[in-house]
Amino acid sequence: GSCDVDGATPGSQCTLGAAIQESNSLAGSDDIYFNIPTSDMGYRDYDSPTTPSSGDSLGDDDYWTINPATVLPAITGVTVIDGSTQTSNQGDTNATGPEIELSGYTLNFTGVGLNFQSGAGGSSVNAIGINKFLTQIQLNSLNGFTLTRSYLGTTINGLASASPTGTRQHAGVEANASTNVDLGTNRSTGNVFGGMGTSYPDAGIVLYCNVAP
């Protein structure tokens, strides 16, 4: 992936998918930070979430949505994805939740939002809303993962389900044969789960364990 998607603009502009590809290609732990300007089409107002560039810097309910056209690459190396960096760089525009939303709306509630593979043990996600995927975060044979201050399956303010009638979100976090998974241990680092399906095995947290016969 290329982390300079607009050669006419000074500096490097990187899509989330390209950032994941860059992280996968580099040894050691890598950080993915955010600094998306208000001129971006993904800058939204909560009252007009499907209208591009609807953010108006009023009402403390603005955020940036990332709506990939295809499923993001699986994460195969240790990666820290920190949505709070958007807040540090652009201000606290959403008083009731994260500034960054990763949405599966274009994918029609299919696929996985963030898919961590075995080599990504020790990765973390902080302060991101992830919704409208079948599974918001998937952990596969992972040893070590931390999730903090994130909203999974809900609207960006955490007050309602992101899954309208006729759609389905299977899981907030699905952990397959994974260990040392920290999903928040206190009020300051905890997460919000909601809006999952009502049929088995849909749930906010779904755990599958390998058990020797």
Side-chain angles (χ1 to χ4, degrees):
S2 172
C3 273
D4 192 5
V5 297
D6 183 0
T9 301
S12 295
Q13 308 82 40
C14 196
T15 65
L16 180 56
I20 291 172
Q21 290 176 323
E22 291 284 328
S23 176
N24 288 342
S25 69
L26 298 172
S29 177
D30 299 290
D31 300 332
I32 296 178
Y33 294 163
F34 299 86
N35 186 11
I36 308 173
T38 56
S39 58
D40 188 85
M41 291 183 64
Y43 183 49
R44 303 293 169 89
D45 185 275
Y46 180 75
D47 297 320
S48 302
T50 61
T51 303
S53 304
S54 61
D56 56 13
S57 301
L58 301 172
D60 292 328
D61 61 351
D62 296 334
Y63 62 100
W64 286 260
T65 187
I66 299 172
N67 200 345
T70 59
V71 175
L72 294 173
I75 298 167
T76 58
V78 183
T79 305
V80 174
I81 303 177
D82 189 358
S84 72
T85 53
Q86 180 71 15
T87 312
S88 300
N89 288 315
Q90 295 291 331
D92 186 3
T93 62
N94 180 22
T96 56
E99 270 63 53
I100 293 292
E101 175 191 64
L102 175 59
S103 170
Y105 178 79
T106 299
L107 299 174
N108 197 28
F109 290 81
T110 63
V112 177
L114 294 174
N115 186 350
F116 292 86
Q117 299 296 308
S118 58
S123 294
S124 63
V125 172
N126 178 52
I128 294 182
I130 308 177
N131 56 46
K132 300 184 178 72
F133 295 93
L134 185 62
T135 299
Q136 316 319 307
I137 294 178
Q138 190 171 76
L139 313 176
N140 294 297
S141 301
L142 209 68
N143 182 11
F145 175 80
T146 302
L147 177 70
T148 50
R149 301 172 56 217
S150 295
Y151 290 13
L152 275 64
T154 71
T155 53
I156 196 65
N157 60 11
L159 299 179
S161 169
S163 180
T165 301
T167 63
R168 173 181 173 234
Q169 298 179 126
H170 157 60
V173 173
E174 179 183 291
N176 301 299
S178 296
T179 56
N180 297 312
V181 176
D182 181 352
L183 301 181
T185 56
N186 56 61
R187 292 177 67 92
S188 62
T189 62
N191 305 285
V192 176
F193 294 82
M196 307 306 160
T198 58
S199 301
Y200 176 84
D202 297 341
I205 302 170
V206 178
L207 305 176
Y208 295 107
C209 303
N210 286 345
V211 180

